[in-house]
Amino acid sequence: MNAVAAPAVSTRPRVIVLEFNELSPTLMREFMAQGVLPNFSRLHGDAQAYVTDAEEAAPNLEPWIQWVTAHSGQSYRDHGVYHLGDGHKLKTKQVWDLLSDHGLKVWVCGSMNLRYDRPINGAVLPDPWAAGTDPFPGDLFDAYFPFVQRNVQEYTNTRVPLSHSDYLRFVSFMAAHGLSLKTASAIARQLGGERLTRKGKWRRATILDRLQFDVFRWYYQKERPDFSTFFVNSTAHLQHMHWRNMDPAPFKLKPGDDEQREYQHAIRYGYQMMDQIVGQTLEMAGPDVTVVMMSALSQQPCLRYEDSGGKTFYRPREFERVLEYAGVPRPYRVEPVMSEQFHVHFDSEPAALAAATALRGLRLEGQPAMEVKHDGASVFAGCSVFRQLDRDVPLARPGGEPRPFFELFYQVEGLKSGMHHPDGILWIRDPARPHREHPDKVPLRDVAPTMLAAFGVTPPGYMTGTSLL
């Protein structure tokens, strides 16, 4: 009898990168020491552990700048991408482009402020704030991406602009693309809890993370890509909004008892939800896949606004009403991004320049009400006021009647109490699993050449970092 040959074992590397925006090395150590992050602890124990340095200071310390650095291997000075939604303007290839060029299959799920070359060998799902970057293949995420995008962009609004048919299409998509029983149960518990207690809406962001991971896992298991990224932002948001609740000591403005009961452990909850994703990823990846976890930058207490009532921000109730009051004529197309900011796209550069001038003319208590940047046929803008305002404060424009500011804008609930810090987490667990805690910080620019080196791909000359492998 002839012996049956054993199937060949593939030695082709496979890498999954978990991009957990702005997780703090300091908080990670504290929560792991408390024993509440078992999967992070397991990953850390098998990983080369680094702290990355963003090599930037405010105002250039923003995640939409730092993630471009991580994916392109270039400093901000070299890549020049400053605004969220401008990633598609990057002139150089990012990691997934270069790997695709070498015949490797890629799966980019939510990575922030990205660009990619079409056609790409695999699939791309942009971040929810993307402007000028569409999913690929074009029809794969038609029922998913707009739904998630509107929910994320309008999370502070009382009503998300979605129809019943949008919800039905989304549910049908999820049912066919990986919706797990665990996620469905979590959604039912979340909505039921909100209805019973009238509290806990802030946890919805982690539900979106669960849905995104279900889609990520569905495509990964179906296509087995060589290189995959998975990005989520919910814990970064919780840190921005609830650092004051986690640690009231350094803040002059102390949270009240009711607020503390609701939000004291919100940040820890966010880390625990990320911990569940780590556990699911390790189970899905198995022992032979390299798993990377990184945060690009982190956060720290924001104390600079304590003497002015705490940092808040204001967002248009309807973008078109603000533009109309400023005297900006149609046609145009508005694309909201994060917090108070939004893009406005016009048919010509002169129309965009006129709109930028009109928006700069808006005044609040004699000072500019808007921060505005004109770029070609587009304008990037947002309310530039972050202090507490009186309810009857007027908004003025040249040659026009003042309008009540709060008729056109609303104040987002809560005070921001976390701000960015240049340190980031980078853990690399390869199949050999050697653990080492590296004491020296490494430039964030090193991430891209390190990812390429995992596949034996030589970094291009514009990448100024060095592989850590």
Side-chain angles (χ1 to χ4, degrees), residues 242 245-247 259-268:
H242 303 302
N245 304 105
M246 179 187 66
D247 182 18
E259 182 183 338
Q260 279 300 85
R261 279 189 288 270
E262 176 78 357
Y263 298 116
Q264 181 179 1
H265 300 301
I267 291 176
R268 186 178 71 184

Side-chain angles (χ1 to χ4, degrees), residues 15-21 67 71 96 107-112 125 144 206-217 220 227-234 273-274 276-278 280-281 284 292-294:
V15 177
I16 297 174
V17 185
L18 298 175
E19 300 179 340
F20 292 162
N21 196 30
W67 283 111
H71 297 142
W96 38 78
W107 169 212
V108 184
C109 185
S111 290
M112 184 177 252
L125 180 62
Y144 178 83
T206 64
I207 296 295
L208 281 174
D209 292 349
R210 289 176 182 268
L211 290 165
Q212 184 104 327
F213 186 80
D214 283 353
V215 173
F216 173 74
R217 179 170 51 195
Y220 183 87
F227 177 79
S228 306
T229 68
F230 176 75
F231 174 94
V232 284
N233 183 67
S234 61
M273 294 302 100
M274 301 297 96
Q276 291 185 20
I277 292 174
V278 170
Q280 292 173 299
T281 301
M284 178 180 72
V292 179
M293 194 279 290
M294 60 178 301

Side-chain angles (χ1 to χ4, degrees), residues 10-15 94-108 117 119-124 219 223-228 451-458:
S10 173
T11 58
R12 187 169 179 169
R14 186 174 287 126
V15 177
Q94 296 189 299
V95 168
W96 38 78
D97 297 308
L98 296 162
L99 294 177
S100 176
D101 289 347
H102 279 77
L104 298 164
K105 180 168 282 189
V106 301
W107 169 212
V108 184
D117 289 334
I120 197 165
N121 183 22
V124 176
Y219 186 89
E223 299 293 339
R224 306 302 291 178
D226 300 288
F227 177 79
S228 306
M451 297 301 100
L452 294 177
F455 295 93
V457 174
T458 301

